[in-house]
């Protein structure tokens, strides 16, 4: 495989460096064989993890099932490495029950540079076998090389580097460094020095959530030592730190006896990508002897040839945190904090440097990855991310009802956009704000609806175009919007320019669907109000679809608990019936977190949907379900009374039969002999139980004619409300083309064509049950011609049956 060749190339480079500099005294053959074995083991492990076997093939007799929360017993003789890796692979897939999990995507799209990074972790563990002196020299060389490359790559001169797993850990160490530098007696007195001058840490309101609280917790400072600076609200960007207010806060803290310690600025906020005015912040920090720390995704653009002046000012900061693993798509790569400090004793006291060689070897995976990629490939990856952002920003300007944010930072690699009807005045959401008289009510309703629509839009984009990595973010001022940050996702997901085209195409389709839905939402409410009190419109601003409706029970005189149960039952059956329709409209129970229950939520609709027909069908289906339930209750009562009456009639007929035939004929053997010698003509007639009428009728008429008279004709007089012309969908408005086609079709039907013959032996709608034990001893036969003639006559005319008795 290609990554195996890269491993061998790295091993050859390692041998060459070992021969020339670091491990000359070690026998070369022993080191070479060990490195080759490390490379071989990692290659075999990656082959197993990338094997696309099915779950049934993985779980064989040698690899038992692992779907259990309890660990199995430890094998006495141990297991081979292949079995253990298969077991570990099963554990990974057991945790990935959902589809399109990010961990699955990372494993599938990890390139050769990802395997090189994993090799670095294996080699870092391998170096623990070296002796102390060799390990110290090796770790120092790797740390110095990586620091030099990063400082030159991101234009941070005369800097030192601290490698850490947690992205916040570097800032914690920097704060300790500043505390040791500003409080001379901190080493001897500790936290007691804070009683004289309390330190203050300033951060932007648009910064990383929870960062300030984490700093206070790790440093043992009270939350009063954290000062959150608001962003601009009148001039400039709404997400940039308000420098005038910051200067005022610093002055107040100095006057109250506090010590301004450190300022955390942004070069690309976590979701919006906003950059503070770093040059002015640098001057303000110099005036107050404060430490300036910068972090953000825009720091990656320092590696490009052309950098904006706002981002370029970051290289004048005292420290900054980089995440090259995210920017370059490298798994398990530590974050890096670059800082400037001339006194090594201060850095050692703060924990930024260490004498432990193993801690220095945290840089080994990044050391390998940077050499494997090279300067050109690193720049190409970062430039591709910026090009993706610029392309999407240009494409979004051509879409109606899409609003792009951050217009004051057009060079930011982060794109923020949202669905907004402000760009399409003909379909404004303000028409939906029908309740409330104040402007605040209108603004609240419009914002809630926009948030729900944008939340749905972001979820659809994430599902249908997952390679773009679009995320849904919540901003304080703008509300819900979509964020596209390719510097954090493109290298990992493999996003290309073609994916942006697919994103824009899918976004255009979804926007048309959302625009048509918002345009018809008012019509939907108006049509439901015309069906009051049968239907009730339920207002749910968190639902992005057409709206929600509830069918109300029309029965009176029912207690509230019973009525609520019946309403829930009817709406549940109504939802199932609507879901069975052949239509593109989605009917559901609404969001799980919604407050409204027992409602039918109608999803997104196209512009050609006939809302009036939709509401009428919902109302008609609801009435059918309610009527069928009421008919079932009435029939239950009728059948119960009819059964009681039938039992009394049977008992009476049995008594009369006993009186007519006598006791002797009731005996099994004697009665058969007597009936053979002397047959008895019983006067007891049979009975039928009519379920529809709930009455007992005689069977004499049935057996005399063999025709059940008085049955209703099988004619479906009620036309379905959903009948459509050929080729026309359900709930669609009839177009001009369909109207023109309907006339010749109706003209083609000539009146001379006879209608299709109906089956004369169709079963009757009313169910009858014969409960008599002694049928009538009569055999009748009906003339066939007469029966056909009788069936063809209307019900209003009398049927003249000619009956011939045998």
């Amino acid at each position: 495989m290609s990554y195996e060749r890269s491993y061998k190339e790295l091993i050859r480079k390692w041998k060459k460096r070992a021969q020339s500099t670091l491990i000359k005294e070690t026998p070369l053959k022993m080191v070479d064989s060990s490195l080759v074995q490390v490379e071989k083991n990692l290659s075999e492990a990656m082959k197993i993890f990338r094997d696309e076997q099915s779950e049934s093939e993985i779980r064989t007799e040698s690899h038992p099932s692992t779907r259990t929360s309890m660990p199995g017993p430890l094998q006495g003789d141990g297991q081979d490495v292949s079995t253990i890796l298969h077991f570990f692979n099963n554990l990974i897939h057991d945790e990935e029950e959902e589809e399109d999990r990010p961990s699955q995507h990372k494993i599938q799209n990890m390139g050769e540079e990802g395997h090189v990074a994993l090799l670095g972790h294996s080699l870092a563990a391998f170096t623990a076998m070296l002796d102390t002196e060799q390990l110290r020299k090796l770790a120092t060389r790797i740390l110095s090389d990586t620091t030099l490359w990063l400082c030159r790559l991101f234009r941070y001169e005369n800097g030192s580097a601290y490698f850490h797993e947690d992205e916040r850990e570097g800032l914690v160490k920097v704060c300790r460094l500043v505390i040791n530098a500003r409080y001379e007696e901190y080493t001897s007195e500790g936290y007691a020095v804070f009683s004289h001058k309390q330190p203050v840490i300033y951060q932007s309101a648009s910064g990383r959530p929870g960062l300030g609280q984490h700093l206070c917790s790790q440093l043992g400072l009270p939350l009063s030592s954290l000062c959150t600076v608001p962003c601009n609200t009148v001039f400039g960007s709404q997400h940039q730190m308000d420098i005038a207010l910051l200067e005022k806060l610093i002055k107040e803290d100095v006057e109250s006896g506090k010590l301004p310690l450190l300022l955390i600025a942004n070069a690309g906020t976590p979701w919006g990508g906003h950059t503070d005015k770093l040059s002015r912040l640098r001057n303000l920090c110099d005036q107050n002897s404060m430490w300036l720390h910068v972090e953000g995704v825009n720091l990656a653009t320092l590696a490009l040839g052309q950098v904006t002046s706002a981002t370029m000012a970051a290289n004048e900061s005292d420290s900054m945190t980089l995440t090259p693993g995210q920017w370059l798509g490298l798994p398990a790569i530590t974050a890096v904090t670059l800082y400037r400090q001339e006194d090594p004793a201060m850095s050692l006291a703060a924990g930024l440097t260490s004498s432990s060689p193993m801690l220095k070897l945290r840089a080994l995976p990044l050391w390998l990855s940077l050499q494997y990629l090279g300067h050109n490939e690193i720049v190409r990856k970062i430039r591709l991310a910026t090009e993706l952002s610029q392309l999407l920003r240009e494409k979004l300007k051509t879409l109606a009802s899409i609003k792009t944010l951050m217009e004051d930072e057009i060079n930011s690699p982060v794109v923020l956009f949202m669905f907004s009807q402000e760009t399409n005045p003909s379909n404004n959401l303000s028409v939906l704000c029908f309740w409330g008289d104040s402007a605040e009510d209108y603004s609240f309703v419009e914002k809630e609806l926009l948030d729900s629509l944008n939340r749905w839009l972001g979820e659809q984009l994430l599902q249908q175009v997952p390679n773009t990595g679009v995320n849904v973010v919540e901003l304080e001022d703008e509300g819900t919007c979509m964020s596209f940050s390719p510097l954090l996702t493109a290298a990992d997901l493999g996003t290309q320019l073609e994916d942006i085209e697919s994103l824009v195409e899918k976004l255009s389709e979804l926007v048309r669907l959302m625009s048509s839905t918002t345009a018809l939402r008012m019509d939907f409410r108006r049509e439901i109000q015309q069906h009051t009190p049968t239907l009730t419109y339920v207002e749910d601003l968190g639902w992005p679809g057409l709206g929600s409706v509830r069918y109300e029970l029309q029965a009176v005189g029912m207690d509230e608990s019973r009525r609520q149960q019946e309403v829930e039952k009817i709406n549940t059956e109504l939802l199932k019936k609507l879901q069975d329709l052949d239509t593109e409209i989605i009917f559901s129970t609404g969001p799980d977190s919604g407050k409204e229950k027992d409602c039918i939520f109608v999803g997104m609709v196209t512009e050609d949907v006939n809302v009036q027909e939709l509401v009428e069908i919902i109302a008609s289906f609801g009435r059918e379900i309610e009527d069928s339930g009421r008919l079932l209750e009435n029939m239950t009562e009728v059948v119960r009374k009819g059964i009681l009456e039938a039992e009394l009639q049977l008992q009476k007929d049995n008594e009369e039969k006993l009186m007519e035939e006598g006791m002797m004929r009731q005996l099994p053997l004697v009665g058969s002999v007597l009936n053979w010698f002397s047959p008895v003509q019983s006067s007891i007639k049979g009975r039928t139980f009519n379920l529809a009428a709930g009455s007992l009728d005689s069977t004499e008429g049935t057996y005399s004619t063999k025709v059940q008279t008085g049955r209703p004709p099988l004619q479906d007089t009620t036309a379905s409300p959903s009948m459509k012309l050929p080729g026309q969908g359900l709930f669609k408005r009839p177009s001009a083309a369909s109207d023109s086609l309907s006339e010749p079709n109706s003209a083609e039907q000539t009146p001379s064509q006879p209608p299709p013959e109906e089956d004369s032996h169709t079963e009757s709608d009313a169910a009858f049950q014969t409960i008599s034990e002694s049928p009538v001893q009569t055999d009748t036969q009906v003339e066939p011609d007469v029966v056909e003639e009788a069936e063809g006559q209307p019900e209003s005319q009398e049927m003249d049956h000619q009956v011939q008795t045998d």
Side-chain angles (χ1 to χ4, degrees):
M1 299 177 67
S2 58
Y3 64 88
E4 293 179 356
R5 293 194 297 269
S6 64
Y7 293 158
K8 296 179 181 179
E9 182 66 23
L10 288 173
I11 296 301
R12 286 195 293 268
K13 293 180 180 180
W14 184 286
K15 295 176 185 177
K16 185 176 180 181
R17 183 178 296 274
Q19 286 178 330
S20 59
T21 57
L22 299 178
I23 49 178
K24 293 181 179 179
E25 299 178 359
T26 305
L28 187 57
K29 293 184 179 180
M30 182 185 68
V31 176
D32 292 348
S33 60
S34 301
L35 291 175
V36 171
Q37 187 64 33
V38 171
E39 179 267 337
K40 180 180 179 181
N41 292 338
L42 182 60
S43 300
E44 293 178 355
M46 294 309 302
K47 287 181 181 179
I48 293 177
F49 291 146
R50 294 179 64 89
D51 191 7
E52 298 180 353
Q53 295 182 358
S54 62
E55 187 176 350
S56 60
E57 294 177 347
I58 294 177
R59 292 175 178 161
T60 57
E61 295 180 356
S62 59
H63 309 129
S65 177
T66 62
R67 289 186 179 273
T68 176
S69 59
M70 298 297 294
L74 185 64
Q75 299 297 326
D77 297 334
Q79 301 183 30
D80 58 272
V81 177
S82 178
T83 302
I84 298 174
L85 291 178
H86 277 291
F87 179 79
F88 181 73
N89 191 33
N90 292 345
L91 291 179
I92 294 176
H93 291 288
D94 287 346
E95 297 295 333
E96 297 173 356
E97 296 179 357
E98 300 179 3
E99 297 181 357
D100 298 332
R101 290 289 296 271
S103 57
Q104 289 182 344
H105 202 86
K106 288 180 180 178
I107 292 177
Q108 294 176 0
N109 292 276
M110 185 173 57
E112 296 181 3
E113 60 272 17
H115 295 283
V116 173
L118 296 181
L119 178 61
H121 290 278
S122 299
L123 293 179
F126 163 77
T127 54
M129 297 185 298
L130 300 177
D131 59 60
T132 305
E133 184 63 23
Q134 291 174 338
L135 181 59
R136 184 185 63 80
K137 293 180 179 180
L138 176 63
T140 303
R141 177 58 184 272
I142 290 176
L143 179 61
S144 61
D145 288 352
T146 310
T147 301
L148 178 61
W149 295 336
L150 290 175
C151 289
R152 289 181 177 178
L153 184 63
F154 295 101
R155 305 182 182 187
Y156 196 81
E157 298 179 358
N158 301 324
S160 301
Y162 172 68
F163 299 86
H164 46 93
E165 302 293 338
D166 191 345
E167 296 181 9
R168 303 169 298 180
E169 184 181 353
L171 182 55
V172 174
K173 301 295 185 182
V174 167
C175 290
R176 295 187 186 276
L177 174 64
V178 181
I179 290 175
N180 281 274
R182 298 298 302 275
Y183 293 91
E184 297 179 357
E185 299 178 355
Y186 177 76
T187 306
S188 59
E189 298 185 9
Y191 295 117
V193 298
F194 297 154
S195 60
H196 304 290
K197 283 189 177 183
Q198 181 180 355
V200 182
I201 299 175
Y202 302 90
Q203 68 168 1
S204 172
S206 299
R208 193 189 316 177
L211 179 60
Q213 290 78 0
H214 178 75
L215 291 177
C216 293
S217 174
Q218 296 297 315
L219 298 174
L221 299 177
L223 292 179
S224 58
S225 296
L226 178 64
C227 179
T228 301
V229 182
C231 297
N232 290 338
T233 56
V234 180
F235 303 103
S237 173
Q238 296 182 353
H239 300 276
Q240 289 180 344
M241 192 182 304
D242 193 337
I243 299 179
L245 182 57
L246 173 62
E247 187 175 2
K248 179 181 178 182
L249 293 173
I250 293 175
K251 184 178 180 181
E252 293 176 355
D253 291 335
V254 172
E255 293 177 354
S256 61
K258 297 182 180 180
L259 178 63
L261 189 69
L262 181 140
L263 172 64
I264 306 174
N266 293 313
T269 52
W271 298 113
H274 300 86
T275 301
D276 292 326
K277 298 176 181 179
L278 301 179
S279 298
R280 295 184 58 185
L281 293 177
R282 175 73 272 178
N283 297 332
L284 183 60
C285 290
D286 292 339
Q287 296 174 6
N288 296 274
S289 300
M290 294 175 56
W291 185 283
L292 177 61
H293 178 83
V294 180
E295 62 177 19
V297 66
N298 293 355
L299 294 176
T301 59
L302 290 173
L304 302 178
Q306 296 180 353
V307 188
T308 59
S309 58
T311 307
M312 182 62 74
N315 57 17
E316 299 296 332
S317 62
D318 296 305
S319 62
M320 61 182 183
T321 298
L322 310 176
T323 56
Q326 293 180 337
W327 303 339
L328 305 178
L330 303 175
I333 292 296
T334 60
V336 185
T337 295
L338 301 179
Y339 64 97
R340 294 188 180 99
Q341 178 61 36
E342 298 179 357
D343 190 356
M346 289 287 186
S347 301
L348 183 61
L352 288 171
T353 58
S354 175
S355 59
S356 174
M358 296 305 299
L359 294 179
K360 295 180 180 180
L361 285 177
R362 289 178 177 177
L364 181 55
L366 186 57
W367 181 81
L368 289 176
S369 301
L370 292 178
Q371 292 185 88
Y372 176 80
L373 292 173
H375 183 273
N376 295 336
E377 182 64 17
I378 294 173
V379 174
R380 189 197 67 82
K381 284 179 173 289
I382 298 177
R383 181 180 292 111
L384 174 62
T386 58
E387 291 176 355
L388 292 174
S389 300
Q390 295 296 333
L391 178 61
L392 179 60
R393 186 177 286 106
E394 294 175 1
K395 294 287 185 179
L396 292 178
K397 293 180 179 179
T398 62
L399 297 180
S401 302
I402 290 295
K403 177 183 178 182
T404 56
L405 308 177
M406 294 176 55
E407 295 297 336
D408 54 336
E409 300 185 23
I410 58 176
N411 294 321
S412 174
V414 180
V415 181
L416 283 177
F417 61 96
M418 62 183 300
F419 173 79
S420 176
Q421 295 289 11
E422 295 178 0
T423 57
N424 189 2
S426 61
N427 188 16
N428 201 311
L429 279 177
S430 60
V431 299
L432 300 178
C433 307
F434 36 79
W435 58 274
D437 299 329
S438 62
E440 290 79 6
D441 292 336
Y442 292 138
S443 178
F444 172 77
V445 174
E446 186 175 3
K447 185 178 183 301
E448 289 294 323
L449 288 176
L450 278 176
D451 288 345
S452 62
L453 291 171
N454 282 283
R455 195 176 298 110
W456 177 85
L457 177 60
E459 293 173 355
Q460 293 298 318
L461 293 177
L462 185 60
Q463 294 177 3
Q464 301 185 26
V465 198
N467 287 340
T468 57
V470 175
N471 287 324
V472 179
V473 296
E474 301 285 344
L475 299 180
E476 182 178 358
D477 298 324
E478 289 80 2
T480 305
C481 56
M482 276 67 67
S483 173
F484 176 68
S485 182
L487 279 173
L488 299 179
T489 60
D492 186 22
L493 301 177
T495 309
Q496 300 296 328
L497 297 178
E498 295 78 8
D499 297 323
I500 302 300
E501 299 290 343
S502 301
L503 173 64
V504 175
E505 181 180 356
K506 180 58 64 175
L507 184 61
S508 178
E509 297 176 3
L510 296 176
V511 165
R512 288 196 298 268
L513 187 61
M514 296 167 66
S515 300
S516 61
T517 302
T518 55
L520 295 174
R521 187 159 177 151
M522 174 63 75
D523 297 338
F524 182 69
R525 178 187 175 109
R526 187 181 300 109
E527 290 294 334
I528 291 177
Q529 289 178 344
Q530 294 181 0
H531 287 76
T532 305
T534 304
L535 300 179
T536 300
Y537 181 83
V538 180
E539 184 65 48
D540 191 346
L541 300 179
W543 177 248
L546 188 62
S548 54
V549 59
R550 179 190 294 117
Y551 183 85
E552 301 293 346
L553 190 65
Q554 303 302 311
V556 294
M558 187 180 299
D559 58 354
E560 187 63 26
S561 60
R562 174 67 184 283
R563 185 181 187 87
Q564 185 176 359
Q565 294 178 359
E566 291 297 327
V567 170
E568 180 181 358
K569 181 180 178 181
I570 293 176
N571 283 277
T572 301
E573 296 181 3
L574 177 58
L575 176 61
K576 294 180 180 179
K577 197 167 185 178
L578 292 173
Q579 290 175 341
D580 293 337
L581 295 176
D582 186 13
T583 177
E584 298 177 355
I585 303 177
I586 298 178
F587 301 93
S588 65
T589 56
D592 298 335
S593 58
K595 299 180 181 179
E596 298 294 341
K597 303 297 181 183
D598 306 333
C599 299
I600 299 173
F601 289 81
V602 186
M604 294 288 177
V605 295
T606 56
E607 58 184 2
D608 58 346
V609 167
N610 192 335
V611 178
Q612 180 181 3
E613 180 185 358
L614 172 62
V615 175
E616 289 178 355
I617 290 182
I618 293 176
S620 62
F621 282 174
R623 285 191 296 268
E624 291 178 5
I625 296 173
E626 184 180 5
D627 293 343
S628 62
R630 188 180 297 111
L631 178 61
L632 181 61
E633 293 180 358
N634 296 337
M635 184 176 294
T636 302
E637 183 66 20
V638 170
V639 170
R640 188 184 66 81
K641 295 180 179 180
I643 291 175
L644 295 177
E645 183 180 355
E647 290 177 352
L648 296 176
Q649 189 65 37
L650 285 175
Q651 184 179 1
K652 181 178 179 181
D653 291 345
N654 290 333
E655 294 176 356
E656 293 181 358
K657 180 179 180 181
L658 181 62
M659 297 297 297
E660 290 182 0
E661 298 180 357
M663 183 64 69
M664 297 298 295
R665 292 183 181 273
Q666 308 305 318
L667 299 177
L669 183 59
V670 177
S672 301
V673 175
L674 291 178
N675 289 333
W676 185 76
F677 282 104
S678 177
V680 177
Q681 185 71 25
S682 176
S683 62
I684 300 175
K685 306 300 181 181
R687 300 287 190 273
T688 61
F689 181 50
N690 191 339
L691 290 177
S695 60
L696 285 174
D697 300 331
S698 175
T699 60
E700 183 177 3
T702 302
Y703 283 99
S704 63
T705 61
K706 285 190 178 180
V707 177
Q708 297 179 359
T709 59
R711 66 183 181 184
L714 286 176
Q715 296 179 0
D716 190 5
T717 58
T718 60
S720 174
S722 60
M723 294 180 61
K724 287 288 183 180
L725 296 175
Q728 188 174 354
L730 192 60
F731 305 134
K732 302 295 183 181
R733 294 195 188 98
S735 60
S738 60
D739 294 339
S740 61
L741 291 176
S742 61
E743 297 181 358
N745 291 336
S746 60
E748 291 177 359
Q749 296 180 358
T750 57
S752 61
Q753 286 183 331
E757 298 183 359
E758 298 182 358
D759 189 4
S760 60
H761 300 285
T762 307
E763 296 181 359
S764 176
D765 294 337
F768 294 91
Q769 179 181 3
T770 304
I771 59 176
S772 175
E773 296 183 356
S774 56
V776 179
Q777 304 292 332
T778 307
D779 188 10
T780 60
Q781 182 177 3
V782 185
E783 294 290 340
D785 297 337
V786 177
V787 174
E788 293 181 0
E789 183 179 359
E791 292 182 353
Q793 293 176 354
E795 292 184 359
S796 60
Q797 299 179 1
E798 296 183 356
M799 294 184 298
D800 187 13
H801 298 283
Q802 297 179 2
V803 182
Q804 181 178 359
T805 306
D806 293 339

